[in-house]
Amino acid sequence: MNHEEILARAKEYISFETDQFFSDEVKALLEKGDWKELEDRFYRDLEFGTGGLRGVIGGGFNRMNTLVVTRATQGLCDYLKEQFPDKPLSACIAYDSRRKSKEFSLATALVFAANGIKAYLFSSLRPTPELSFAIRKLGADTGVVVTASHNPPQYNGYKAYWNDGSQVVPPHDTGIIQKVLKVRDVKLMPESEARAKGLLVNIDKDIDEAYVAMVKSHLLRPELFSKMADSVKVIYTPLHGTGAMLFERIMKDLGLNVLTVPEQREPNGEFPTVSYPNPEEAAALSMAIEFGKKTHADVVMATDPDADRLGIAVPDGSGGFTLVTGNQLGSLHLDYIALTLKELGRMPPRPASIRSIVTTEFQKAIAEKYGIASFECLTGFKWIADLMRQFESNGYDFVYATEESYGHLIEQEVRDKDGISAAALTAEMTLYWRSQGKSLLDRLEDLYREFGYFEEKGLSAYFEGEKGMQIMSGIMDAYRREQPKQFGRIPVVWTRDIKAGTAWDRAGKISSISLPKSDVIQWRLEEGTLLTVRPSGTEPKIKYYILCHSVGEDLAKAKAETKRKIAAIEADIKAVIDAHRK
C-alpha cells in the first residue's frame, strides 16, 4: 500500500471517528510520518474470525476503536432487521476488564437503541458465559461481549452472538460482515434518551442469581459438598479479569475453602502481574501455584479475563504442583460425567459429546467406552454450539463439550465455553476422587493405563502485519503444493484438507469432508498421531497441533516414546517455519 492510499484511508477514518482519543492518535502518526505504523493500521479492515472482531486497541480500520465497534454494531442491526423485519428486537451486552471495554460496550448499546433495538446492558463487568446465558434467559435476538479473552493488554475484541446464545456462524457471520462493509452512517442515541425510552436497561442481580442457580443445578453429586467440602482448599486467580465475583460466590455457597490470589483479584486491563493473562500459559499460574504451596492447597484454579477458560494445577505429591492441560482436564471431566451418569442411572438415551478437531482423541476413546457418541467440529466454540443446535432436532442428548484451549461446557443453558461451571465440576470431581482414595493425577494415570498414553503439544509462530499474513499464506500453499509424505520420519497415512473439502489416503483414494470449509490441513501418521496446521482466526500466528498416542503395558516407556515422536515432528515443523522466515 503506497502513501497516497494510506493517507486517503486515514483521512476517511478521521472524518468518521467520533472518539477524539482515537482520531488524535491517527493525526499524530500522520504528522510524524510513521508510514510503517500507518500501513499496519490501514492495509485492511479488521474482520470477523473464530472469535469475532479482535485487534490491537488504537485508531485505524485495522484496530479496535469506537468507529470499528459502532460500525460493526450498525451492520449487526441492519442484518437483524433484515432477518426479523416484523419483530421487536433486543440485544444483551457485556464487557470485561480490558482497556476501553466499558466505553465500547456503552457505544454498542447506544447504537442498538438508536436502531430501535432494546439493549440489555450489564452495568459492570461480567464473564462471557453469563452473556450467553443472559441471551437465552431473556429471549434476546443477539448479544455482544467486549473482550479479547486471554490476549495481551494491548488487545480488545467484540464477539457477536445469535439468539441461541452462541457466537454467529455462517451464514450469519458473513451476512453481518457484508452489512458492516456497506455502513457509512452509524445511528447513535444519547444515553439519557435511550434510558428514558426504555431502549437501554441494566441487567445485573436477576441474571446473576439465575446464572448461579443454573451452575449449581448441574452438580452431579451435590452431597459430596455437604460431606467433604471443608476438607479441600482451593487457590483461585481471575488473572485481573471478571471471574472473582461469581467464582467466589459459587464456591462459598458450596462450602469450599477458597483463597483468591490478592495481587490478581481486582480487575485491571493492564494485567500487571502476568505477561499473558492466559491459563494455558504456565507463567500465568505461577503466582497462584506459589500461593498454593504456602497454603498447602488441594487444587489451583485460574480463569482468563472473561472467565470462559479454566486452567488448573494439582499437587504432585512431592511438594510441587503439576499443571493439568486443557486436553487432560477435558478427558477427566468426560470420564467423571460418564461414569457418574452411568452409576446413577441417569445416562440419557442418545448421549453425545463434542470436541474440536484439534482436541485430544483420548476423549473419543473415553466416550466410546461409555456408549457416548463423539462428534468433532472446527476449532472455535461457536462450532460446538452449532452442533448443540443440531442436537435439538436430531435427537442426540448433549452431555459435555470441550476444546484443547482450556474451554469446557457442562450445561446447555450456555452456548459458549464456561470457566465458572467447569470450575464447579472440577471441584466436585476432586472431592469424588478423594472419596475414592485418589487424586486427579491418580485417575489420569488409571485412564492412560486403560487407553494408552496420550500427549499433545501446540506450536505457534507469530507473523505480524501484511507481510506476516503473506508468509502464513505461503506456508499453507506450500503444504498444499507438495504434500508431505512424513513428519519426524513417521509416514503419513492420510491427509485431510478442510479448505478443499477433501481427504485422501496414501493409495490416492479421495473422500469428501462434511465439515465447513476452513483453512486447515491435517495429517494422520502411522501409530495414531494426528498433526494439524492452521492460521489463527484471532491472532497474527500460525498454529500447529501434535496429538500423539502410544500404547504399551509399560506406561513409562509409552511416555518416553511419545515424547520422542513429538520432538521429531516438532523439528520438521520448525524447519518449515524457519525456511519461510528467510
Side-chain angles (χ1 to χ4, degrees), residues 423-485:
L425 179 72
T426 302
E428 180 186 315
M429 185 169 65
T430 301
L431 293 175
Y432 174 77
W433 288 116
R434 172 167 290 192
S435 75
Q436 303 298 306
K438 295 183 179 184
S439 69
L440 294 183
L441 293 183
D442 291 334
R443 181 55 181 172
L444 194 58
E445 292 288 296
D446 289 344
L447 293 171
Y448 286 147
R449 279 186 283 270
E450 181 176 357
F451 297 105
Y453 182 65
F454 291 81
E455 186 172 333
E456 301 79 30
K457 185 165 187 179
L459 301 172
S460 295
Y462 283 82
F463 297 94
E464 300 282 350
E466 184 175 15
K467 183 179 179 182
M469 293 192 67
Q470 293 170 353
I471 292 173
M472 289 189 287
S473 179
I475 291 173
M476 299 300 289
D477 289 344
Y479 280 133
R480 290 186 168 103
R481 281 195 310 271
E482 298 182 24
Q483 282 291 337
K485 298 295 189 296

Side-chain angles (χ1 to χ4, degrees), residues 123-304:
S123 62
S124 59
L125 48 81
R126 291 297 192 284
T128 287
E130 190 176 3
L131 182 277
S132 175
F133 175 81
I135 293 169
R136 293 176 65 83
K137 182 73 175 177
L138 295 172
D141 301 283
T142 189
V144 169
V145 60
V146 178
T147 179
S149 189
H150 57 282
N151 281 55
Q154 65 266 32
Y155 283 82
N156 211 330
Y158 175 107
K159 293 166 67 173
Y161 289 73
W162 203 240
N163 54 19
D164 63 343
S166 72
Q167 292 181 58
V168 291
V169 296
H172 302 309
D173 55 355
T174 53
I176 292 166
I177 285 295
Q178 289 170 5
K179 292 293 185 183
V180 172
L181 292 174
K182 295 177 181 178
V183 170
R184 285 297 174 264
D185 296 317
V186 175
K187 297 178 183 177
L188 277 168
M189 180 178 286
E191 182 178 357
S192 58
E193 182 183 350
R195 291 191 182 279
K197 291 182 175 180
L199 289 169
L200 174 58
V201 296
N202 289 123
I203 48 169
D204 292 312
K205 185 177 179 181
D206 289 347
I207 299 298
D208 292 341
E209 294 298 322
Y211 175 82
V212 167
M214 179 276 297
V215 170
K216 291 191 289 187
S217 74
H218 286 281
L219 296 172
L220 298 171
R221 303 177 191 263
E223 70 279 0
L224 287 172
F225 291 95
S226 58
K227 294 177 181 178
M228 301 176 60
D230 58 359
S231 69
V232 169
K233 182 178 293 182
V234 178
I235 297 299
Y236 170 64
T237 173
L239 297 177
H240 303 289
T242 63
M245 178 179 72
L246 292 177
F247 183 100
E248 292 174 349
R249 158 77 186 279
I250 290 169
M251 294 299 175
K252 181 179 179 182
D253 287 355
L254 295 175
L256 288 161
N257 180 12
V258 176
L259 297 175
T260 302
V261 178
E263 299 90 340
Q264 297 177 328
R265 184 180 185 277
E266 296 305 316
N268 187 335
E270 302 304 318
F271 309 114
T273 66
V274 290
S275 298
Y276 293 92
N278 184 357
E280 298 177 62
E281 303 283 343
L285 274 72
S286 61
M287 189 173 285
I289 287 173
E290 287 304 311
F291 195 22
K293 290 177 182 177
K294 292 177 183 177
T295 57
H296 306 287
D298 298 285
V299 61
V300 168
M301 298 189 188
T303 52
D304 63 342

Side-chain angles (χ1 to χ4, degrees), residues 280 327 357-359 379 404 456-463 471-480 484 487 519-523 530-536 541-547 566 569-581:
E280 298 177 62
N327 280 309
I357 58 174
V358 297
T359 298
T379 305
E404 53 78 35
E456 301 79 30
K457 185 165 187 179
L459 301 172
S460 295
Y462 283 82
F463 297 94
I471 292 173
M472 289 189 287
S473 179
I475 291 173
M476 299 300 289
D477 289 344
Y479 280 133
R480 290 186 168 103
F487 287 91
D519 194 7
V520 181
I521 305 172
Q522 293 189 299
W523 298 276
L530 183 67
L531 173 63
T532 305
V533 61
R534 72 177 184 93
S536 171
K541 65 183 180 182
I542 193 165
K543 302 178 74 172
Y544 291 82
Y545 306 81
I546 307 170
L547 311 183
I566 289 175
I569 294 168
E570 186 177 356
D572 280 359
I573 292 169
K574 288 183 175 179
V576 170
I577 293 172
D578 290 343
H580 280 82
R581 283 193 189 278

